[in-house]
Amino acid sequence: MSMFQRDPRAGIFFGGDRVSGQEIRDQNVIAALSIANIVKSSLGPLGLDKMLVDNIGEVTISNDGATILSLLEVEHPAGRIFVDLAQKQDKEVGDGTTSVVIVSSAELLRRANELVKAKIHPTTIIAGYRHACREACKFLVDQLSIKVDTLGRDALINAAKTSMSSKVIGGDDDLFAPMAVDAMLAVKTVNARGETRYPVKAVNVLKAHGKSARESLFVKGYALNCTVASQAMKTRISNAKIACLDINLQKQRMQLGVQILIDDPNQLEEIRRRESEITLERVRKILATGANVILTTKGIDDLCLKEFVEAGAMAVRRCRKEDLRRIAKSTGATLVSSLANLEGDETFEASSLGYAEEVVQERISDDELILVKGTKVVNSSSIVLRGANDYMLDEMERALHDTLSIIKRTLESGTVVPGGGAVETALSIYLENFAQTLESREQLAIAEFANALLVIPKTLAVNAAKDSTELVAKLRSYHNAAQNASAGDPKKALSRYGLDLLNGEVRDNVTAGVLEPTVSKVRSLKSAFEAAVSLLRIDDAIHCVPEQKGEPDPHGH
């Protein structure tokens, strides 16, 4: 009987299954490893893609850890924790989802499990891990991070390129990286508290079939994938006053179930005329406020189109509600879903109009797009992606989202660290040395934490078909020299060394331009530690089986 196992006679337990002690730990580790092994081969610039087919035959081809895990149907409760972990990392940082799962699940948990087998209590391991995580984050921020200001705009482009390198658009990073940086810089806003923010949502990504990925373009302004409702309308309006509606501008029809009894056939005509006039009155009320661009999520009747054309306004129907919300936000408009006011009449206030310098319909490739330029409140920008097929475009959009998030983090936090396994190796050496200074049992856990971090450079090298043992050993010796060097020593620069996977050697990754935002690394470490600890704490799993109610029906009713 293991040292930490509960007395099996403790508490009489009826129904359901109970797994406790070492057995449940082993199960959790197996579940974690099986998930980590799925995404392991997609880590890094030379990682491979996964093809996922769901139950209705929809195909997704992706390299993004969070996307892969969200499409997996994970039964094991411990496995689900890692799926949530990847989702959280994707939401908060945008990139680094694969590495966080590999570090936390596979390595931290597996090594902790080995320590428990060696008769070290889980509480000691958790305390050691927590200590290691705190020290690692401190060392990362104080010693390894570099201010973006000292590297300039190139640092942003390099951080973008690093994020892209493992994705579909990695081959064309010379085109996409500057494009993504421009898009993010264009949406800079300062909120009420005086903080500078770069909202990723303000960058609209449109997908258009045809041509090659290199034909993708960056458009200043918010692009709508719609066209004007009638060919007779203007396609360019300057000083646009924009009305965002969520109303159907089609002829009013009588509600179902409403009966009108009439005694004169002429009254029928009267009813019909009134039906069409209700909508026309609405349109006139909207135009009376000076609106010259009308965007609606529903349809517009031919009858109303005539009014818009005569007024010289531009009307667009069937826009996506999400697009309208963003346009309303960036132009200062209000998305109006009903014209009724508190008095029971129908009115349209001029205050709910938004303002933009120009709204224009342009032909980009085969599609007509409507661009809203020079918005009043938040500047917006759009990227039109071109690609051969849907899978390609979807994957490009995911990659671009990760890249934009990384640029946002870099701009908001203002510091970057060298990529390519440099950070993990430096932390590993530092924690190993740090563990030897402790006199408690925690040093074993900290040493294991240090070794767990090395899984990232090892996996990167393996995925690039290089000799991981040799490369990681070389990298460790460089980082060891850097940390033992005194302040003015040129060897100090060795702490920036990471892997060069294309040539299979070690190089200075700051000069090579492989950079990642510090926030991303710190967040991954913390998330990995938290997920590992939450599973380490478990020593008993009770699976309750629902009771059978009454006699089972032999006929299966």
Side-chain angles (χ1 to χ4, degrees):
M1 189 174 179
S2 128
M3 170 176 165
F4 311 121
Q5 198 150 16
R6 296 264 188 83
D7 181 1
R9 289 160 306 187
I12 303 170
F13 180 60
F14 295 109
D17 307 324
R18 175 176 176 181
V19 186
S20 52
Q22 191 53 49
E23 201 178 328
I24 182 66
R25 284 199 192 92
D26 288 342
Q27 278 186 18
N28 285 348
V29 170
I30 290 166
L33 284 174
S34 57
I35 284 192
N37 288 337
I38 291 173
V39 290
K40 213 171 198 173
S41 60
S42 68
L43 178 74
L46 299 168
L48 305 170
D49 289 7
K50 307 277 176 239
M51 178 165 158
L52 299 144
V53 185
D54 65 8
N55 48 11
I56 53 167
E58 191 71 27
V59 178
T60 311
I61 299 175
S62 180
N63 190 314
D64 180 37
T67 312
I68 295 168
L69 292 182
S70 65
L71 292 168
L72 291 180
E73 301 233 337
V74 182
E75 286 294 316
H76 198 285
R80 284 198 205 128
I81 289 182
F82 294 113
V83 177
D84 293 346
L85 174 68
Q87 300 290 348
K88 188 181 108 182
Q89 177 80 359
D90 196 36
K91 255 202 191 77
E92 292 197 349
V93 182
D95 203 10
T97 45
T98 315
S99 53
V100 73
V101 171
I102 293 174
V103 169
S104 73
S105 57
E107 292 305 303
L108 291 179
L109 251 185
R110 187 171 65 80
R111 288 167 186 277
N113 196 30
E114 296 302 318
L115 286 176
V116 173
K117 282 180 185 166
K119 303 276 186 286
I120 292 170
H121 200 281
T123 315
T124 313
I125 301 171
I126 291 170
Y129 274 6
R130 180 171 290 119
H131 206 143
C133 184
R134 199 178 303 128
E135 286 296 322
C137 293
K138 203 162 125 206
F139 181 74
L140 225 173
V141 175
D142 297 346
Q143 305 288 325
L144 295 174
S145 59
I146 307 153
K147 283 252 184 299
V148 177
D149 315 342
T150 53
L151 297 173
R153 180 190 153 96
D154 291 346
L156 292 175
I157 292 182
N158 285 334
K161 282 186 178 172
T162 308
S163 168
M164 281 176 192
S165 63
S166 60
K167 305 281 193 296
V168 168
I169 50 181
D172 301 317
D173 56 5
D174 55 330
L175 168 79
F176 283 105
M179 187 190 285
V181 172
D182 288 340
M184 271 331 263
L185 289 174
V187 298
K188 176 179 174 180
T189 55
V190 179
N191 65 8
R193 277 182 256 149
E195 299 166 339
T196 309
R197 285 277 171 262
Y198 296 87
V200 173
K201 289 248 177 91
V203 179
N204 189 22
V205 179
L206 287 176
K207 299 177 284 195
H209 276 242
K211 304 236 179 130
S212 71
R214 294 197 69 84
E215 312 282 323
S216 303
L217 57 140
F218 165 65
V219 184
K220 270 208 158 87
Y222 198 94
L224 266 177
N225 209 353
C226 309
T227 55
V228 287
S230 156
Q231 295 305 311
M233 286 177 184
K234 291 181 178 175
T235 52
R236 179 185 296 273
I237 286 182
S238 301
N239 295 337
K241 292 196 174 97
I242 302 172
C244 295
L245 309 176
D246 188 11
I247 312 170
N248 202 357
L249 291 179
Q250 286 171 330
K251 201 164 89 170
Q252 283 285 338
R253 292 193 187 84
M254 206 57 81
Q255 301 288 332
L256 279 176
V258 174
Q259 285 186 325
I260 300 179
L261 299 173
I262 52 169
D263 42 25
D264 182 4
N266 294 337
Q267 287 172 324
L268 264 179
E269 197 51 48
E270 195 66 30
I271 291 171
R272 288 212 184 98
R273 191 176 309 126
R274 182 73 196 119
E275 273 181 358
S276 46
E277 264 179 18
I278 290 175
T279 315
L280 284 176
E281 276 172 20
R282 282 183 182 171
V283 170
R284 285 176 191 135
K285 276 175 188 154
I286 294 166
L287 289 172
T289 56
N292 50 15
V293 175
I294 290 88
L295 309 173
T296 177
T297 54
K298 308 263 172 52
I300 300 178
D301 223 328
D302 291 349
L303 197 72
C304 310
L305 282 181
K306 179 168 156 281
E307 288 284 322
F308 288 128
V309 171
E310 283 172 3
M314 187 169 171
V316 182
R317 57 186 166 196
R318 311 255 176 247
C319 304
R320 279 180 36 228
K321 200 164 186 174
E322 199 177 305
D323 282 341
L324 282 199
R325 277 204 194 103
R326 289 189 195 164
I327 286 178
K329 202 169 177 184
S330 57
T331 58
T334 319
L335 184 58
V336 179
S337 52
S338 161
L339 294 183
N341 61 8
L342 297 174
E343 277 77 53
D345 302 329
E346 291 198 335
T347 51
F348 186 76
E349 301 291 327
S351 59
S352 47
L353 291 178
Y355 178 76
E357 283 170 24
E358 185 175 48
V359 176
V360 53
Q361 175 171 317
E362 281 187 10
R363 185 175 190 84
I364 291 178
S365 73
D366 312 341
D367 295 336
E368 301 267 344
L369 298 177
I370 287 178
L371 304 178
V372 181
K373 295 181 180 173
T375 50
K376 187 179 78 170
V377 186
V378 183
N379 282 330
S380 44
S381 53
S382 302
I383 291 175
V384 183
L385 293 178
R386 309 303 308 276
N389 53 25
D390 275 342
Y391 310 127
M392 177 90 176
L393 286 169
D394 288 344
E395 180 60 3
M396 280 165 72
E397 186 183 19
R398 278 192 288 270
L400 204 61
H401 173 265
D402 284 7
T403 307
L404 291 172
S405 307
I406 285 294
I407 297 168
K408 168 194 166 82
R409 294 287 160 208
T410 312
L411 283 166
E412 286 179 8
S413 66
T415 55
V416 289
V417 288
V423 171
E424 285 80 7
T425 317
L427 287 179
S428 167
I429 298 277
Y430 172 71
L431 288 176
E432 265 178 19
N433 296 338
F434 173 71
Q436 288 158 12
T437 62
L438 292 180
E439 295 171 2
S440 63
R441 288 186 201 168
E442 290 176 6
Q443 66 161 278
L444 294 167
I446 294 178
E448 290 297 336
F449 194 100
N451 284 335
L453 290 173
L454 286 177
V455 71
I456 297 283
K458 279 179 188 161
T459 311
L460 285 173
V462 168
N463 286 351
K466 299 283 181 279
D467 182 352
S468 66
T469 323
E470 190 184 337
L471 278 176
V472 173
K474 202 175 194 182
L475 201 52
R476 280 170 61 94
S477 70
Y478 276 30
H479 280 280
N480 195 27
Q483 286 178 25
N484 292 334
S486 52
D489 200 340
K491 279 190 180 166
K492 231 14 185 182
L494 289 177
S495 68
R496 297 172 163 193
Y497 271 62
L499 299 174
D500 171 10
L501 295 174
L502 294 172
N503 305 321
E505 49 197 37
V506 179
R507 62 166 178 197
D508 182 341
N509 269 347
V510 176
T511 46
V514 179
L515 302 169
E516 299 180 55
T518 316
V519 183
S520 160
K521 285 288 177 206
V522 171
R523 201 61 63 77
S524 325
L525 270 179
K526 285 184 177 166
S527 306
F529 153 72
E530 281 164 12
V533 164
S534 66
L535 286 177
L536 241 185
R537 287 213 162 113
I538 300 170
D539 79 324
D540 222 330
I542 298 170
H543 186 73
C544 299
V545 180
E547 292 175 31
Q548 287 287 330
K549 296 239 166 58
E551 288 292 311
D553 189 345
H555 301 295
H557 288 316

